[in-house]
Amino acid sequence: MERLEILKTYKIYIGGKFPRTESGRYYSPKNPKGELLGNICLSSRKDVRNAVVAARKAYGDWSERADFNRSQILYRIAEMLEGRKAQFIDELIVQGVSQKAAKQEVELTIDRLVYYAGWCDKYKQIQSSVNPVSSSHFNFSVQEPTGIVGIIADANSSLIGLVSSIAPVIAGGNTCVVLASEKLPLCAITFAEVINSSDVPGGVVNILTGKRTELISPLTTHMDVNAIFYSGKETEIIKELEESGALNLKRIHSYDEDWNKESSQNLYFITDFQELKTTWHPIENVGGASSSY
Amino acid sequence: MAKKIKEINWDYAPSLESTSHIEVKEKYELFIDGKFVKPSSGNYFNTVNPATNEVLSSIAYANEKDVDNAVKAARKAYNEVWSKLSGKERGKYIYRIARLMQERARELAVIETLDAGKTIRESRDIDIPLACNHFFYYAGWADKLEYAFPNRKVESLGVAGQIIPWNFPLLMAAWKIAPALAAGNTVVLKPAETTSLTAMKLAEIIRDSGLPAGVVNIVTGYGDTGAAIVNHEDINKVAFTGSTAVGKIIQKAIAGTGKKATLELGGKSANIIMDDAPIDQAVEGIINGIFFNQGHVCCAGSRLFVQEGVADVVIKKLKRRMDSLIIGNPLDKNTDVGAINSKEQLDTINKYIKIGINEGAEMYQASCEIPKNGYFCPPTIFTGVAQSSTIAQEEIFGPVLTIQTFRTVDEVIQKANNSPFGLAAGVWSDKGSRVFNLTSKLNAGVVWANTYNKFDPASPFGGFKESGYGREGGMHGLSAYVKLK
C-alpha cells in the first residue's frame, strides 16, 4: 500500500515563533499548472505590527553583536540551507521552476549567504574613514545599522530574491520584517525554518505572507520602521513607498534587479541600510611634543 | 580696597569691524546662465540687518518662470559643457572659486554679519574660512571619484536643485555647490529669503572665476521659489537643509519622480555631562553648544543632561558664565551673541519661552543689556524640565536650553535617544571607555566628545531618523551627487 504523504501547514514567522495569522484568513495560490500550492496565511495589519514589535525587540541585541559573530551566524544559515537543498529544489519545482533552474537558484542562494557572511566584519573597514580635520581633533566616521527595515521581496522569485534582500540587511545589523512573494510564497516559510535553526535570534527576521495591497501600507506607514527595501519596479508602489515613508523620513530603496545573476550582490546593498556616525574628540597639544626626534 | 575696584569701568571698549571696504548694491538680480538678469515678475523684496532693522538691499523675487530659465540653463551647461569636462578641469575651476573667495574673505564676513546678524568673530573665523575650505577640499575630489566608490563606475546625476537655510548662508551654499560640481553636476541654488547677500556675492565670484555659464545658477526668493525648484521636472536631485516639516513635504512632493534627495533637517541634540567631566571645559562646551550663532544651529546642544552629582555646580557655573556673555552689535569684535536672524524667528523663540514658563519650568536669562533696536534674545536656560515638556521635544532654533538631570548611563542614553530627531550629541567625561560607550550608543549622525559644534570640510555631517538622510562633507558627502554603475 502506498504511504500517505504528510503535507506541510505553511505558517508565518514572527519573533522566532511560527504562528498562523492572527486574522485566521488564508489564500490558496496555484502553480502555473493550476495545482494548489497550499493554504497560505493571509497576514493582517496586526501581524505587521506584531512583527515590527518583534523586530524592534530583537534590534538591540542583534545590532550590538560583534560583526564577526554576525558573520558566523550568516554562514550558519548557508550551512543549514545546504543541508536542506533538496527540499528547496522540490518546492521551487512545485512552484513552476524547472529542475535545472531550481538547482541553480538554490545553489546561488547558498553562495549569496556565504558572500554576505564574509562582508559582515569587512564593510566598515572599506566604508569608514578617519577624517583629517584641520583642528586638533581625532575624527572618524563609521557605519551603524539604520534600524528596522521593511523588505518587500521580489514578487517573481520564491527564494533567491527573498534571501538577496534579507542577507545584506541583517549582515549590517538591522532587523527586518519581510513580505514574501504573494504568488510564490512557499520557500519563504521554509527559509524561516532554516533561519530558526541557524542561531539567528528570534525577531531578527520576521516573514509574512499575504496580499501586498493589504500589507505594504501598514508596513510603510509604521512609525517604528526606519527603512524600506523594495525589490521591484512598479512605479505605483515606489510612489506609495516614498510618499508614506515621508511620515518619519524612512530611507526608501527600490531595486530593479535580476537576483539570479551572479553579480546581483555587492557592498552597496549593505551600506544603503547604514547610517554614518562621525565622532570627534580633542587631541591634547602639548608644547614640544611636535619635535621630530 | 573693594570700593576702589568697583569704581573702575571693566567694560570692553567697542571694537567695531569696519564696513568701508565692502560693496553692497542697492539691488540684486538673479544669476542665471552666467548673467545677472531681472526677475520676470519685476518684483523685489528687502533684506534687512536684523541688528538694526535697516534695509541693506533689495533682492529679486524669482517665480516659476525664472526657475525654469535657471534649470534650462543648468541643463544646457550640463549637456554641452560640464558633463564633457574632465574631472581634472572641473577641479581647477573649483580651486579657483576657493581662492577668489579667500581673497575676498573679509568682505564676505562683514556682509554675512550685516545680513544674518551673526557675530563678526564667528563669520570671520568660522563661516567664511569653512566655506572657502569646503570648495578647496572638494576641488581635489573631482578627478579622484573612483577612489571613493570601490568596484563601481561613478556618474554624475545631472541638474541639482539646492535649497539652503539662513543660519550659515555662505557656508551652506558651499556645502551644496562644491560637492555637486566636483561630482560633475550643474546647480540651481536658492538661498533663504533673509540672507541672500553672500550668495549673490558668491555669484559675482563665480562669474569672475570664468566658470562656464549655467553651471551654477542662483535664484533668490521665498518658499514658493524653492517649491518651483523641487517640483521642476528637469531636476535630477534635490538637496535641502532646513526644517523637518519642510523636509517631509519635499520627500512627498518628489515621491515617484526618481529625483534623488538629501535632507539635512532639524535636531534636538543632547549634550551630556557626566560627573567625572572637566567641569569648566564642559560649561564652555554647553555655552558653545547652545549659544553659538544665537542657537540658530540645527545641531545645537539644546537638551542638556547633567548627572545628578554635579548638577548644582554645573548650573551655578553655567549661570555665571552666561552673565559674562556680551550680547549686542554683531559687528563688534567683543560680541559673543549677535542678533536673531529675523522678527519671525524672534517671535517663534519667544513663543517657546512662554510655553516653557507655562509648562512650569524655571527660567534663567543672562543679565546682560540687550540693544533696543533690532531683534535680540538673551541667552536663556530652563531647569525643572520634564522629558515630556514641549521645549524639550521641539526644535526652538534659538538661544534656549533645557536642562534635565540623570543618575545612570543607561538612563541618559534612553532619554537622549527618546526623540524623533538624531542629528548630533555631545558627551563630556574624562573616562575614555565611558565616552566610547556613550558615543556608540547615541543615535546621532555627529557626536562630539569633550567638544561641541566643530565642523570641517573633511568631516561628514548629517542625521539619523527624522533629522534627515545623506551626508555633507568628507568622502561620504560625494555619494549625494553620484550614481554608481
Side-chain angles (χ1 to χ4, degrees):
Chain A
M1 207 171 94
E2 206 181 316
R3 182 180 166 273
L4 184 67
E5 195 189 358
I6 304 294
L7 296 175
K8 177 155 111 181
T9 305
Y10 283 92
K11 301 190 179 183
I12 54 179
Y13 185 51
I14 299 176
K17 294 198 166 61
F18 289 91
R20 286 284 286 186
T21 164
E22 65 81 37
S23 68
R25 305 176 309 164
Y26 67 97
Y27 72 114
S28 311
K30 293 189 173 120
N31 69 10
K33 287 187 206 153
E35 296 159 349
L36 183 68
L37 290 178
N39 292 319
I40 308 297
C41 288
L42 199 54
S43 304
S44 66
R45 277 184 306 176
K46 180 80 168 87
D47 291 318
V48 170
R49 292 201 290 262
N50 290 343
V52 174
V53 170
R56 177 58 68 188
K57 207 171 155 196
Y59 176 72
D61 169 43
W62 185 244
S63 60
E64 285 176 23
R65 294 268 177 135
D67 293 351
F68 182 76
N69 182 242
R70 280 206 304 277
S71 178
Q72 287 183 305
I73 292 174
L74 260 80
Y75 186 79
R76 182 74 178 156
I77 305 175
E79 286 179 350
M80 292 296 103
L81 193 53
E82 183 80 44
R84 292 174 67 165
K85 229 165 104 175
Q87 185 184 3
F88 280 94
I89 293 173
D90 286 349
E91 257 177 8
L92 285 172
I93 292 169
V94 168
Q95 292 175 101
V97 181
S98 74
Q99 168 86 38
K100 192 176 161 221
K103 183 165 176 280
Q104 268 177 359
E105 182 172 341
V106 176
E107 286 174 351
L108 185 58
T109 304
I110 296 166
D111 292 352
R112 189 147 291 164
L113 282 161
V114 173
Y115 174 82
Y116 283 111
W119 266 129
C120 292
D121 54 356
K122 294 168 192 71
Y123 70 90
K124 287 178 189 164
Q125 286 185 307
I126 309 276
Q127 291 283 295
S128 65
S129 60
V130 171
N131 307 308
V133 296
S134 303
S135 53
S136 184
H137 292 91
F138 184 68
N139 175 305
F140 63 97
S141 299
V142 67
Q143 282 71 26
E144 288 187 9
T146 296
I148 313 298
V149 180
I151 295 176
I152 302 160
D154 184 8
N156 301 314
S157 89
S158 190
L159 182 64
I160 184 75
L162 180 92
V163 176
S164 299
S165 329
I166 294 174
V169 164
I170 63 171
N174 301 282
T175 59
C176 59
V177 175
V178 188
L179 306 186
S181 166
E182 189 174 325
K183 59 178 185 191
L184 306 167
L186 299 191
C187 294
I189 298 312
T190 310
F191 184 68
E193 294 158 17
V194 168
I195 288 178
N196 198 46
S197 56
S198 307
D199 301 324
V200 179
V204 170
V205 178
N206 305 276
I207 302 180
L208 306 176
T209 52
K211 278 199 166 59
R212 291 183 169 212
T213 45
E214 284 183 352
L215 300 179
I216 284 181
S217 166
L219 186 63
T220 53
T221 54
H222 199 296
M223 294 298 276
D224 210 22
V225 173
N226 304 103
I228 299 285
F229 183 126
Y230 169 56
S231 172
K233 57 175 177 183
E234 285 179 56
T235 47
E236 277 310 301
I237 291 183
I238 293 173
K239 185 162 189 239
E240 184 193 344
L241 297 176
E242 292 179 350
E243 247 170 23
S244 42
L247 269 176
N248 62 339
L249 292 162
K250 286 183 185 68
R251 288 77 167 121
I252 311 286
H253 296 281
S254 303
Y255 306 101
D256 178 18
E257 285 279 339
D258 176 4
W259 301 108
N260 276 304
K261 273 179 22 203
E262 191 86 40
S263 60
S264 287
Q265 53 184 25
N266 63 57
L267 163 69
Y268 302 96
F269 288 116
I270 301 176
T271 52
D272 278 353
F273 298 92
Q274 300 286 305
E275 305 290 311
L276 190 73
K277 177 185 278 182
T278 300
T279 305
W280 295 67
H281 196 282
I283 299 172
E284 190 174 52
N285 258 333
V286 179
S290 59
S291 62
S292 50
Y293 292 102
Chain B
M1 276 303 274
K3 205 182 166 212
K4 208 172 180 185
I5 287 169
K6 247 187 185 172
E7 286 164 13
I8 301 169
N9 181 5
W10 290 102
D11 288 347
Y12 290 94
S15 173
L16 287 179
E17 175 68 39
S18 163
T19 56
S20 61
H21 57 294
I22 63 161
E23 192 211 339
V24 177
K25 290 186 201 152
E26 272 179 28
K27 205 188 210 181
Y28 281 93
E29 312 293 357
L30 308 169
F31 184 60
I32 296 174
D33 205 14
K35 293 181 286 287
F36 290 93
V37 297
K38 293 191 184 312
S40 57
S41 66
N43 290 337
Y44 293 80
F45 58 92
N46 286 340
T47 190
V48 302
N49 177 349
T52 60
N53 215 4
E54 281 165 347
V55 174
L56 293 168
S57 179
S58 69
I59 309 288
Y61 192 164
N63 62 16
E64 259 180 52
K65 191 157 173 269
D66 301 311
V67 168
D68 186 49
N69 290 338
V71 174
K72 278 185 180 136
R75 174 61 61 193
K76 189 161 166 267
Y78 179 76
N79 288 342
E80 293 176 7
V81 188
W82 200 242
S83 64
K84 292 183 176 156
L85 215 56
S86 68
K88 184 177 92 174
E89 295 303 313
R90 285 203 310 271
K92 278 153 66 181
Y93 277 115
I94 305 168
Y95 276 125
R96 201 187 263 192
I97 295 170
R99 280 300 198 224
L100 288 169
M101 288 170 74
Q102 286 173 337
E103 286 164 11
R104 295 173 65 174
R106 185 57 60 94
E107 180 191 12
L108 292 168
V110 172
I111 295 174
E112 198 75 300
T113 285
L114 287 172
D115 202 20
K118 61 175 62 201
T119 66
I120 186 68
R121 273 213 328 259
E122 186 208 317
S123 39
R124 185 193 62 194
D125 298 344
I126 297 170
D127 288 49
I128 306 304
L130 276 177
C132 304
N133 295 355
H134 214 81
F135 276 99
F136 201 91
Y137 173 83
Y138 274 106
W141 269 119
D143 57 355
K144 303 170 190 69
L145 298 172
E146 278 72 21
Y147 291 91
F149 304 97
N151 240 1
R152 281 287 173 278
K153 274 212 179 91
V154 182
E155 284 178 14
S156 55
L157 296 171
V159 178
Q162 308 179 316
I163 299 165
I164 57 172
W166 44 259
N167 56 342
F168 296 94
L170 186 67
L171 181 57
M172 290 299 109
W175 278 27
K176 294 283 180 286
I177 296 173
L181 297 191
N185 305 277
T186 58
V187 160
V188 176
L189 174 105
K190 188 196 92 73
E193 63 269 18
T194 59
T195 53
S196 308
L197 284 184
T198 46
M200 296 321 295
K201 280 280 158 190
L202 179 61
E204 292 174 4
I205 288 171
I206 285 170
R207 183 200 54 193
D208 296 346
S209 75
L211 187 76
V215 172
V216 172
N217 305 274
I218 301 181
V219 290
T220 42
Y222 284 76
D224 55 338
T225 313
I229 295 176
V230 168
N231 295 322
H232 196 289
E233 276 186 2
D234 205 25
I235 290 274
N236 304 99
K237 156 89 190 180
V238 177
F240 172 75
T241 298
S243 72
T244 290
V246 175
K248 289 180 178 179
I249 293 171
I250 289 176
Q251 181 172 336
K252 254 193 183 158
I254 63 173
T257 62
K259 291 173 191 167
K260 247 185 119 168
T262 42
L263 303 173
E264 204 275 271
L265 308 175
K268 192 75 188 174
S269 299
N271 198 2
I272 299 168
I273 318 293
M274 304 304 298
D275 59 11
D276 64 344
I279 299 292
D280 290 325
Q281 287 174 42
V283 168
E284 283 308 307
I286 297 166
I287 294 277
N288 181 47
I290 185 63
F291 302 131
F292 171 62
N293 198 27
Q294 298 70 250
H296 301 328
V297 186
C298 46
C299 52
S302 51
R303 284 188 298 155
L304 181 67
F305 292 95
V306 191
Q307 201 161 16
E308 265 185 16
V310 292
D312 287 347
V313 57
V314 167
I315 292 166
K316 196 177 111 201
K317 288 191 174 205
L318 177 60
K319 288 177 175 171
R320 220 182 107 192
R321 182 67 181 89
M322 283 167 69
D323 288 338
S324 70
L325 290 172
I326 299 170
I327 291 100
N329 186 349
L331 276 174
D332 192 321
K333 283 166 240 170
N334 297 317
T335 299
D336 297 306
V337 180
I340 300 301
N341 185 268
S342 66
K343 182 171 183 304
E344 289 71 32
Q345 189 54 29
L346 183 59
D347 291 344
T348 303
I349 295 166
N350 285 333
K351 181 193 86 184
Y352 277 110
I353 289 177
K354 248 188 217 139
I355 290 173
I357 294 167
N358 291 340
E359 283 184 344
E362 194 181 318
M363 183 179 74
Y364 180 82
Q365 289 187 314
S367 57
C368 52
E369 257 179 70
I370 301 289
K372 298 263 177 318
N373 293 323
Y375 314 123
F376 289 89
C377 177
T380 303
I381 61 173
F382 280 99
T383 49
V385 175
Q387 191 74 0
S388 58
S389 301
T390 308
I391 53 169
Q393 292 189 341
E394 295 180 15
E395 184 176 40
I396 299 173
F397 224 64
V400 182
L401 178 72
T402 63
I403 304 178
Q404 294 170 262
T405 59
F406 66 93
R407 288 184 183 173
T408 66
V409 172
D410 278 353
E411 180 190 351
V412 76
I413 290 169
Q414 203 187 36
K415 281 180 165 171
N417 285 342
N418 188 359
S419 161
F421 298 113
L423 191 49
V427 175
W428 297 81
S429 164
D430 247 359
K431 191 177 175 193
S433 57
R434 180 177 284 175
V435 165
F436 279 117
N437 179 34
L438 280 154
T439 58
S440 58
K441 290 203 172 118
L442 292 167
N443 295 329
V446 183
V447 185
W448 287 289
N450 292 322
T451 184
Y452 207 95
N453 272 344
K454 292 286 183 287
F455 309 93
D456 194 280
S459 176
F461 185 92
F464 285 21
K465 301 194 281 185
E466 293 191 23
S467 290
Y469 42 75
R471 290 293 176 271
E472 295 183 296
M475 179 182 75
H476 298 88
L478 289 169
S479 44
Y481 292 100
V482 297
K483 54 179 176 242
L484 305 180
K485 291 268 159 133

